[in-house]
């Protein structure tokens, strides 16, 4: 941004309004925090009473906010706690350095540092906001408004300033500090994924404000709907670890962002080949390994088979999707590209995410093989055929399409033999689950699309969202960060 002027003042005012909303609501509704209120649901389902209740389980929301139960430090299990701390670190690794390298290797040399800075900056902004208010509005009881949004009792994580070993009703075998940290890592990677659609052309100042606003206005409400005792979770929508909450949500925002920004300068004329695919392979590999924390960690325990089945399903689907994408390229383009292999693997990780705790190994194989083909067609052929949006690194084509595909296939292949609360269509004859899954996909797509558009429109007409043509031509690294990659 240039010297202080009306645009900068307007941008500052917008940031104040974004941050001030939750504070104003807090001032109106402030009440003394209840002792050990339970956040709503973990992004996983498990029928075992000792493990965290599922966001998608058929448990009434009232049970997910049981303030009358005494969850003392005696209930904390050291094995579960160690596994969840490990899972949290694995999921954080997915963003930095995993996603940063995955995206950074696919852009041109002049924009590598700017792309890495997006993942790093998003991690910092979202961590602070999650601590201040994000966790509270996503995972606590919102009272009369609980169907749509959580409450403000955990503002600044106030209840966690006391007994650090306090446990929640949905994660009774781990301290709530660990549960909050685990959920924080999900909140970090979801907005960061959007950077794949806006690569090469968004202002960094606008990006950081967008990350903050999107977290509070889009991610937190939708996480509450599905996992925090809100209306979708209460209805019975199945989303073990984030097919709609994370991937469809981020993919939809990516599509809207790409449309609002417009196409990259020189697209179709200049060479936009990735500068260093080796970075992307390393990033994809880190994502693959970290995803076991994402999916298996969503069981919120380690003492029964739920985490193990989720891990097995994740590995099977990922490998199958990489192979099916590779096969499509081999047939059509005559050569299997490295970029295609890693893109297929990420598509498999995305699609198995909502299903990992609900399907058997055969179901995981079917989902993996299917999503490799579906995302290949969406990212390579449909985007080119439609031609009106520039989803730079296929955020929509992989995360949006893959997340929706996985959510729908969860309704088809979920089995009560794997999870007693997941009664699917194909194995259990529950066609109604398919309807719920479509409702989940539609609700997330519409809400995310509309609110994302509003946030970006506010930024566009105040401080602006796109760099100038001169900056875009010369490169974001030197112009936005004053640095370049040498060698």
């Amino acid at each position: 941004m240039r010297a202080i002027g009306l645009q900068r003042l307007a941008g500052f005012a917008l940031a104040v309004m974004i941050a001030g909303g939750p504070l104003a609501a807090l001032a109106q509704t402030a009440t003394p925090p209840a002792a050990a209120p339970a956040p709503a649901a973990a992004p996983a389902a498990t029928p075992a009473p000792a493990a965290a209740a599922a966001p998608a389980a058929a448990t009434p929301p009232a049970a997910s906010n049981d303030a009358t139960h005494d969850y003392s430090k005696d209930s904390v299990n050291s094995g579960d706690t160690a596994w969840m701390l490990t899972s949290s670190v694995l999921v954080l690794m997915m963003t930095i350095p995993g996603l940063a390298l995955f995206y950074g290797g696919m852009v041109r040399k002049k924009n590598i540092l700017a792309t890495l800075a997006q993942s790093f900056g998003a991690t910092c902004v979202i961590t602070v906001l999650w601590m201040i208010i994000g966790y509270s509005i996503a995972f606590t009881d919102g009272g009369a408004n609980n169907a749509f949004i959580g409450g403000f009792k955990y503002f600044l994580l106030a209840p966690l300033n006391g007994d650090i070993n306090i446990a929640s009703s949905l994660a009774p075998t781990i301290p709530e500090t660990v549960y909050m940290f685990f959920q924080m890592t999900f909140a970090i990677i979801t907005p960061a994924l959007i950077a794949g659609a806006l690569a090469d052309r968004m202002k960094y100042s606008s990006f950081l404000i967008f990350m903050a606003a999107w977290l509070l206005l889009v991610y937190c409400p939708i996480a509450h709907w599905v996992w925090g005792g809100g209306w979708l979770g209460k209805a019975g929508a199945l989303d073990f670890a984030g097919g709609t909450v994370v991937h469809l949500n981020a993919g939809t925002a990516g599509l809207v962002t790409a449309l609002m920004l417009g196409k990259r300068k020189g697209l179709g004329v200049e060479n936009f080949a990735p500068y260093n695919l080796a970075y992307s392979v390393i990033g994809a590999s880190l994502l693959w390994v970290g995803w076991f924390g994402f999916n298996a960690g969503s069981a919120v325990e380690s003492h029964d088979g739920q985490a193990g089945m989720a891990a097995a399903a994740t590995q099977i689907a990922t490998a199958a999707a990489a192979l099916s994408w590779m096969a499509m390229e081999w047939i059509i383009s005559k050569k299997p590209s490295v970029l295609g292999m890693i893109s297929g693997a990420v598509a498999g990780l995305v699609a198995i995410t909502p299903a990992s705790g609900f399907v058997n190994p055969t179901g995981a194989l079917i989902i993996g093989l299917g999503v490799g083909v579906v995302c290949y067609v969406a990212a390579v052929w449909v985007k080119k055929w439609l031609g009106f949006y520039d989803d730079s690194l296929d955020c929509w084509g992989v995360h949006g399409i893959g997340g929706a595909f996985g959510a729908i296939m969860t309704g088809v292949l979920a089995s009560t033999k794997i999870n007693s609360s997941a009664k699917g269509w194909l194995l259990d004859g529950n066609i109604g689950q398919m309807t719920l899954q479509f409702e989940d996909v539609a609700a997330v797509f519409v809400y995310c699309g509309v609110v994302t558009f509003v946030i970006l429109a506010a930024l566009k007409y105040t401080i602006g969202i796109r760099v100038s043509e001169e900056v875009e031509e010369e490169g974001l690294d030197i112009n936005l960060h004053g640095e370049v990659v040498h060698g």
Side-chain angles (χ1 to χ4, degrees):
M1 291 174 56
R2 297 195 176 105
I4 296 175
L6 292 177
Q7 287 191 336
R8 196 165 200 175
L9 291 174
F12 178 75
L14 176 64
V16 171
M17 287 188 290
I18 290 169
L23 297 176
L26 174 68
Q28 295 171 5
T29 60
T31 57
T46 171
T59 305
S64 68
N65 294 287
D66 183 7
T68 64
H69 191 88
D70 179 20
Y71 295 101
S72 68
K73 64 179 66 179
D74 294 333
S75 70
V76 171
N77 179 279
S78 60
D80 290 351
T81 301
W83 166 237
M84 292 310 299
L85 282 169
T86 302
S87 295
S88 300
V89 173
L90 285 171
V91 180
L92 180 61
M93 184 185 73
M94 290 170 63
T95 306
I96 48 171
L99 186 69
L101 286 170
F102 181 66
Y103 281 165
M106 288 192 280
V107 298
R108 291 168 293 175
K109 182 180 178 181
K110 62 185 179 181
N111 295 326
I112 288 179
L113 293 177
T115 303
L116 297 176
Q118 289 171 345
S119 291
F120 205 92
T123 300
C124 299
V125 168
I126 294 160
T127 295
V128 173
L129 283 177
W130 189 253
M131 176 267 173
I132 293 172
I133 195 63
Y135 176 72
S136 188
I137 61 177
F139 286 98
T140 67
D141 189 347
N145 299 315
N146 193 55
F148 304 104
I149 195 69
F152 296 91
K153 294 178 181 178
Y154 273 65
F155 178 72
L156 292 176
L157 299 179
L160 300 185
N161 290 322
D163 187 349
I164 63 171
N165 286 318
I166 191 172
S168 78
S169 61
L170 289 172
T173 64
I174 63 173
E176 191 169 3
T177 50
V178 178
Y179 180 73
M180 182 278 300
F181 176 39
F182 181 65
Q183 295 293 352
M184 177 189 287
T185 60
F186 276 67
I188 288 169
I189 194 169
T190 306
L193 289 170
I194 304 170
L198 53 83
D200 296 344
R201 60 202 191 277
M202 190 170 189
K203 291 182 176 181
Y204 194 60
S205 55
S206 300
F207 172 81
L208 293 179
I209 296 173
F210 175 54
M211 290 289 99
W214 195 87
L215 173 77
L216 298 179
L217 301 178
V218 181
Y219 179 79
C220 288
I222 289 177
H224 186 79
W225 293 358
V226 180
W227 295 336
W231 67 280
L232 281 172
K234 182 178 180 181
L238 298 176
D239 190 352
F240 192 78
T244 53
V245 176
V246 175
H247 298 290
L248 175 61
N249 202 7
T252 301
L255 178 62
V256 174
T257 305
L259 290 169
M260 292 287 287
L261 283 169
K263 296 180 181 180
R264 287 168 289 178
K265 185 177 183 295
L267 183 65
V269 178
E270 299 177 13
N271 181 12
F272 279 78
Y275 170 67
N276 194 331
L277 276 178
Y279 292 166
S280 296
V281 173
I282 295 170
S285 302
L286 289 168
L287 284 170
W288 191 333
V289 174
W291 223 285
F292 293 108
F294 203 76
N295 287 356
S298 290
V300 201
E301 51 78 23
S302 64
H303 58 266
D304 65 23
Q306 192 73 63
M309 179 58 77
T314 300
Q315 179 70 12
I316 293 165
T318 305
L323 289 172
S324 62
W325 187 304
M326 190 191 312
M328 291 292 290
E329 279 197 327
W330 224 323
I331 293 168
I332 296 172
S333 303
K334 309 306 178 186
K335 292 180 181 179
S337 70
V338 173
L339 180 57
M341 294 178 200
I342 61 177
S343 297
V346 172
L349 291 165
V350 168
I352 197 59
T353 292
S356 54
F358 303 128
V359 301
N360 59 31
T362 302
L365 180 65
I366 293 170
I367 289 173
L369 292 173
V371 78
V373 175
V374 169
C375 286
Y376 172 81
V377 171
V380 177
W381 292 98
V382 173
K383 181 173 72 170
K384 183 178 179 180
W385 175 61
L386 292 176
F388 62 83
Y389 65 95
D390 179 14
D391 179 13
S392 312
L393 309 180
D394 294 316
C395 177
W396 166 248
V398 172
H399 294 278
I401 298 297
F405 178 85
I408 293 167
M409 291 302 292
T410 300
V412 176
L413 297 169
S415 170
T416 53
K417 292 183 178 180
I418 302 301
N419 191 308
S420 62
S421 64
K423 188 176 182 181
W425 170 45
L426 189 62
L427 300 178
D428 301 313
N430 180 24
I431 190 67
Q433 190 62 52
M434 289 295 298
T435 303
L436 286 171
Q437 297 306 105
F438 277 108
E439 288 179 2
D440 185 15
V441 168
V444 171
F445 179 78
V446 172
Y447 178 82
C448 174
V450 171
V451 180
T452 301
F453 172 79
V454 171
I455 295 170
L456 288 170
L459 288 170
K460 182 175 182 178
Y461 294 109
T462 52
I463 63 174
I465 57 176
R466 182 163 180 163
V467 298
S468 67
E469 288 191 6
E470 293 78 12
V471 169
E472 190 172 345
E473 180 68 30
E474 188 177 6
L476 273 58
D477 290 359
I478 188 63
N479 283 283
L480 299 186
H481 303 285
E483 300 162 304
V484 295
V485 173
H486 298 283

